[in-house]
Amino acid sequence: MNSQSSRRRLTEVFLDGGDQIQPKKVELLLSPTTKENTNSDENSKVTTKKKLSACDRDANELRSQLEPLSTPQLRKRLHRTFDIRFDDDGDEGAYDRDNIMQQLLRCYGSRDNSDKNGHPIPVRTVRYEHGVPLDPTLLKELLDEMELIRWPRTTRERPKILAQGYIILQRPPPSTPATICDHETPTKANNNKAKREAEKLERFSGIWNKALRAIESVDKEFARQFTALAVTKNFKGSPHIDTLNIAPFYGLSLGGFANGGGKLCVECSATCVAEIDTRGKFAKVDGRFCHWVSDYEGTRYSLIYYVTHGKVVPQTTAIFKPPCIDAAGNEEERKNYRQIDWDPPPVFVP
């Protein structure tokens, strides 16, 4: 979805034994911008950090989780959450991103914040969620198919995220059946791009067909609407916003990664982050909110079903309670899921 950038990266990725990503930290200067401050008697230099790509961000740091936000969004957050405004005419730092970010981080760092009426402002909290469980038989079929994939030795399809493998499969055009059979000749591939996408879809028809069955078992309506499928191996951290998405997405993770890690994290509001357990479970999330994957050990695969064209679905909440599917998971999981008293997160405010 994103073109190759010419940025210099802090993290170089090396494959160790073919299964694990080994980050190697490299000391690089990211071309800081230096500007002179001539409004004081003594000359001082202010160094502004270059905005890092998602793959270079440490998802455990608050700054990294805020970096995907635009400068106007950071200004709004300072105003709405911490009641700090800028004098656009008299304040030199009113539009300086690094200055705004530093003020925002200081506000988050103080636990004694209060609004103009003296009411305490809550610190950033975490809510723990889990998706709807997938049928174990289908889950095993998906995992087996994932382990058979011959992963490309490049992530050029999504170069700004950190992953060992990343494959994007575009949905066939309406005149083509959604399920692709081996040796099936695609129809109406009228240009080179369409032909390449059709050939690619046929090459990965095994995972496409099983992924389609999986999403149909959870949300039949969305199964007819999603326009592309991202198939990933060892997606790490990478706080980002899916700027091309026009609707929420569904995500599922699977593999032998350790329990407790590999959560899908998404910012629900300025003061709340949701950590969602998607291991063997489908979660519905709006990728137009900042999101990332928490640390984990082992091999983690994921399927992301998303929408980039068609009717735009307005942003409402960052996470959703998936529909309760009686056919999903085992009986105990289904019973527990139906009894969840789910509290919706705040509604998006533009």
Side-chain angles (χ1 to χ4, degrees):
M1 296 193 314
N2 296 319
S3 61
Q4 177 69 48
S5 68
S6 60
R7 71 193 183 286
R8 300 179 68 186
R9 296 175 53 174
L10 281 175
T11 304
E12 293 182 353
V13 178
F14 298 88
L15 300 181
D16 182 11
D19 287 329
Q20 299 298 325
I21 288 181
Q22 298 295 329
K24 178 181 178 182
K25 295 298 181 183
V26 183
E27 295 296 329
L28 296 177
L29 182 63
L30 294 178
S31 304
T33 300
T34 302
K35 57 184 179 180
E36 299 290 339
N37 182 358
T38 58
N39 292 329
S40 59
D41 294 334
E42 57 182 23
N43 291 329
S44 62
K45 293 184 178 181
V46 179
T47 301
T48 303
K49 293 182 179 179
K50 183 177 179 180
K51 186 177 179 181
L52 300 178
S53 295
C55 58
D56 300 321
R57 298 169 185 153
D58 183 349
N60 296 307
E61 295 182 356
L62 177 59
R63 176 165 187 149
S64 295
Q65 298 170 13
L66 299 176
E67 281 288 2
L69 299 175
S70 67
T71 301
Q73 287 174 319
L74 294 176
R75 278 170 52 103
K76 284 182 180 180
R77 181 161 299 189
L78 267 174
H79 177 205
R80 293 172 177 171
T81 308
F82 301 102
D83 199 33
I84 294 179
R85 303 190 189 196
F86 289 96
D87 181 353
D88 292 346
D89 296 325
D91 192 339
E92 283 190 354
Y95 294 99
D96 183 285
R97 179 179 178 85
D98 196 54
N99 174 59
I100 295 169
M101 178 67 80
Q102 291 299 334
Q103 289 205 45
L104 192 54
L105 291 173
R106 284 194 293 271
C107 289
Y108 274 115
S110 173
R111 291 180 177 271
D112 298 324
N113 285 314
S114 59
D115 61 21
K116 59 186 177 181
N117 297 318
H119 300 136
I121 297 175
V123 297
R124 200 165 166 95
T125 58
V126 178
R127 59 181 287 172
Y128 299 96
E129 304 286 344
H130 62 81
V132 60
L134 184 64
D135 176 74
T137 301
L138 184 51
L139 187 64
K140 184 180 184 306
E141 291 179 6
L142 279 173
L143 181 57
D144 290 344
E145 194 68 44
M146 285 282 207
E147 292 176 338
L148 291 175
I149 291 177
R150 298 181 62 181
W151 295 88
R153 303 290 291 182
T154 175
T155 57
R156 64 179 180 273
E157 295 195 56
R158 194 89 188 265
K160 292 187 178 182
I161 58 87
L162 183 60
Q164 187 176 335
Y166 201 104
I167 300 169
I168 297 174
L169 301 176
Q170 299 291 338
R171 191 185 192 93
S175 58
T176 304
T179 300
I180 304 300
C181 300
D182 292 340
H183 311 299
E184 184 176 24
T185 303
T187 60
K188 295 188 177 180
N190 297 321
N191 53 58
N192 290 335
K193 182 178 179 181
K195 289 180 180 178
R196 288 195 301 271
E197 293 294 348
E199 291 169 356
K200 183 180 179 183
L201 190 60
E202 184 172 356
R203 188 163 71 252
F204 294 103
S205 61
I207 189 62
W208 173 268
N209 291 336
K210 290 180 175 60
L212 187 61
R213 285 172 50 205
I215 189 63
E216 286 175 342
S217 72
V218 173
D219 191 331
K220 293 186 183 299
E221 182 179 358
F222 185 83
R224 294 189 294 268
Q225 296 172 347
F226 79 93
T227 60
L229 174 69
V231 185
T232 81
K233 180 180 181 181
N234 288 339
F235 187 111
K236 299 276 189 176
S238 305
H240 68 285
I241 290 174
D242 295 322
T243 56
L244 298 181
N245 286 16
I246 63 170
F249 70 77
Y250 268 95
L252 168 77
S253 64
L254 57 164
F257 61 99
N259 284 325
K263 299 287 198 307
L264 175 58
C265 304
V266 58
E267 188 181 74
C268 294
S269 71
T271 57
C272 179
V273 171
E275 288 192 4
I276 312 171
D277 178 11
T278 61
R279 185 178 181 182
K281 305 176 182 69
F282 268 109
K284 186 178 181 182
V285 168
D286 197 325
R288 292 168 290 185
F289 292 82
C290 182
H291 57 287
W292 61 94
V293 173
S294 66
D295 293 343
Y296 62 91
E297 295 181 357
T299 301
R300 180 185 185 274
Y301 300 102
S302 70
L303 296 173
I304 304 295
Y305 306 73
Y306 60 97
V307 185
T308 57
H309 58 265
K311 183 179 180 180
V312 176
V313 178
Q315 280 182 264
T316 54
T317 59
I319 60 176
F320 304 82
K321 181 179 180 181
C324 180
I325 306 299
D326 288 338
N330 57 48
E331 181 58 36
E332 186 64 25
E333 285 181 322
R334 296 197 300 268
K335 179 180 178 181
N336 293 337
Y337 185 81
R338 285 193 293 266
Q339 293 176 348
I340 291 176
D341 185 14
W342 199 74
D343 182 26
V347 174
F348 170 71
V349 179

